[in-house]
């Protein structure tokens, strides 16, 4: 896939650490919820980001500022040029009639357009968004808008229910109120989502992050084990597909070493 130049039309602060970028690509980019693109800043780098709203002419991204590239994203101004490559990866598949859409922090990025898409297909959406505190709940208004029922959780209890999104999910599953689960967020949360979905025998799809370099199934950087590549076979996986992989156990950084071994030892 060739890179397409895209103009920044908006870069707004969404909440603590998170920006929402709106881009206008020079050519249409057709995508589905769950897919991602490679965002390039000339002279800086290129990194994977989920499609987080808009349509083929206007792309919305939800960017959490965590390091050099995303800090540079935060400084982009309207009129600046970037490039986008994509779409890549496997999207979510709509199943069931009553969905739980479970977002942990920036994991909300692909779930906003997913919630909208499910609603358009007549599927009832229980949207759940969790974060550490009330200033770290990105895209809260949009997820709420596309949900029939909406639940917030914070670890410190400063907004919504005190606890984790998986606490709400467990209650919904126990009460038989949902028949499909979709999730994106920190891997520990996803592992718990997968465990709950298995226990209550409900189909479950999760969007998994690994170190993506080429995005095209060539370099092997995003290998998850058992021959699966996140950029080609994911980032959305059915829960059963993740059995026996590194999901929930090991996460590798840029060099391919487990992330905790990459950091210099003191
Ligand atoms: C399919 C996919 C979709 C993503 N969607 C989003 C999104 O919508 N919003 C968002 O804020 N972030 C998203 N990310 C993560 C995002 O790519 C990284 O946070 C970003 O590349 C960090 O770069 P940095 O230089 O700012 O930070 P660094 O200091 O380089 O790294 C900070 C953290 O980001 C991870 N990271 C760095 N580069 C990559 C990479 N090439 N691939 C995967 N992880 C990386 C590192 O392992 C580390 O955990 C997504 C990742 C993947 C694989
Ligand atoms: S990022 Fe190169 S194979 Fe997936």
């Amino acid at each position: 896939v060739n890179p397409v130049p895209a103009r920044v039309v908006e870069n707004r602060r969404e909440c603590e650490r998170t920006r929402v970028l709106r881009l206008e690509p020079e050519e249409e980019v057709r995508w589905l919820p769950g897919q991602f693109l490679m965002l390039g800043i000339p002279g800086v780098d290129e990194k994977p980001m989920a499609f987080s709203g808009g349509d083929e002419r206007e792309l919305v991204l939800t960017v959490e500022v965590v390091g050099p590239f995303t800090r540079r994203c935060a400084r982009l101004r309207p009129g600046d040029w970037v490039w986008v490559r994509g779409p890549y990866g496997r999207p979510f598949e709509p199943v069931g009639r009553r969905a739980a859409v479970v977002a942990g922090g920036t994991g909300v990025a692909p779930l906003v357009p997913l919630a909208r898409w499910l609603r358009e297909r007549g599927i009832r959406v229980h949207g759940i968004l969790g974060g550490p505190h009330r200033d770290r709940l990105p895209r809260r208004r949009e997820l709420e808008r596309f949900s029939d029922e909406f639940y917030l959780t914070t670890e410190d209890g400063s907004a919504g229910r005190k606890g984790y999104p998986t606490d709400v999910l467990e209650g919904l599953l126990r009460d038989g109120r949902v028949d499909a689960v979709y999730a994106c967020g920190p891997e520990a949360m996803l592992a718990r989502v997968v465990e709950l979905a298995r226990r209550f025998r409900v189909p479950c799809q999760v969007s998994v992050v690994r170190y993506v370099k080429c995005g095209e199934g060539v370099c092997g950087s995003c290998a998850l084990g058992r021959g699966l590549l996140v950029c080609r076979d994911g980032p959305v996986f059915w829960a059963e597909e993740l059995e026996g992989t590194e999901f929930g156990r090991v996460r590798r950084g840029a060099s391919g070493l487990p992330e905790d071994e990459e950091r210099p030892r003191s």
Side-chain angles (χ1 to χ4, degrees):
V1 181
N2 289 327
V4 173
R7 201 167 56 91
V8 176
V9 288
E10 190 185 2
N11 182 355
R12 71 175 162 82
R13 183 184 186 275
E14 164 72 13
C15 63
E16 200 180 305
R17 285 205 205 174
T18 305
R19 315 286 303 187
V20 171
L21 290 180
R22 272 199 305 131
L23 310 175
E24 268 175 15
E26 277 197 335
E27 291 166 28
E28 287 189 359
V29 179
R30 295 187 175 275
W31 55 275
L32 288 169
Q35 290 187 300
F36 67 97
L37 53 70
M38 297 301 291
L39 172 67
I41 303 181
V44 182
D45 206 345
E46 194 192 37
K47 294 285 185 179
M49 292 286 155
F51 290 97
S52 190
D55 54 27
E56 60 273 17
R57 291 171 180 278
E58 185 188 88
L59 308 175
V60 176
L61 306 180
T62 305
V63 181
E64 182 179 352
V65 179
V66 293
F69 181 80
T70 46
R71 267 200 294 280
R72 188 64 192 79
C73 290
R75 294 203 307 273
L76 288 169
R77 296 208 183 149
D80 284 350
W81 286 89
V82 294
W83 77 79
V84 295
R85 265 200 305 135
Y88 291 118
R90 182 164 62 149
F92 287 105
E93 284 177 45
V95 287
R97 307 306 306 161
R98 293 168 286 128
V101 172
V102 190
T106 315
V108 73
L111 300 180
V112 169
L114 173 73
R116 177 180 188 172
W117 194 60
L118 294 174
R119 275 275 286 274
E120 285 166 2
R121 278 156 185 75
I123 294 171
R124 190 169 177 79
V125 173
H126 293 263
I128 312 169
L129 174 63
H133 61 86
R134 65 173 181 202
D135 297 326
R136 296 268 301 278
L137 295 167
R139 309 298 299 281
R140 166 183 179 165
R141 282 179 305 277
E142 288 92 340
L143 188 61
E144 183 165 15
R145 185 177 343 130
F146 300 129
S147 300
D148 296 281
E149 311 279 341
F150 183 64
Y151 315 83
L152 272 182
T153 64
T154 49
E155 284 158 39
D156 65 359
S158 54
R161 170 173 164 176
K162 188 170 190 309
Y164 298 96
T166 43
D167 302 336
V168 176
L169 176 66
E170 187 168 1
L172 292 174
L173 287 166
R174 183 169 298 122
D175 297 343
R177 295 179 66 197
V178 294
D179 61 7
V181 177
Y182 303 83
C184 185
E187 200 149 305
M189 181 197 97
L190 295 183
R192 174 87 179 126
V193 166
V194 165
E195 180 193 315
L196 287 168
R198 187 179 302 134
R199 174 154 31 112
F200 290 95
R201 296 174 198 276
V202 166
C204 172
Q205 295 167 69
V206 296
S207 179
V208 174
V209 166
R210 280 296 177 276
Y211 207 95
V212 166
K213 288 183 184 164
C214 69
E216 299 186 324
V218 177
C219 71
S221 156
C222 65
L224 196 59
R226 283 193 41 235
L228 295 174
L229 295 174
V230 163
C231 72
R232 180 193 66 194
D233 307 308
V236 175
F237 293 94
W238 291 94
E240 306 76 60
E241 293 175 311
L242 296 168
E243 280 168 26
T245 68
E246 294 187 346
F247 171 79
R249 297 186 295 121
V250 182
R251 187 158 158 185
R252 297 172 191 279
S255 66
L257 285 172
E259 275 196 336
D260 48 357
E261 287 179 25
E262 269 200 337
R263 292 189 197 107
R265 284 161 212 275
S266 48

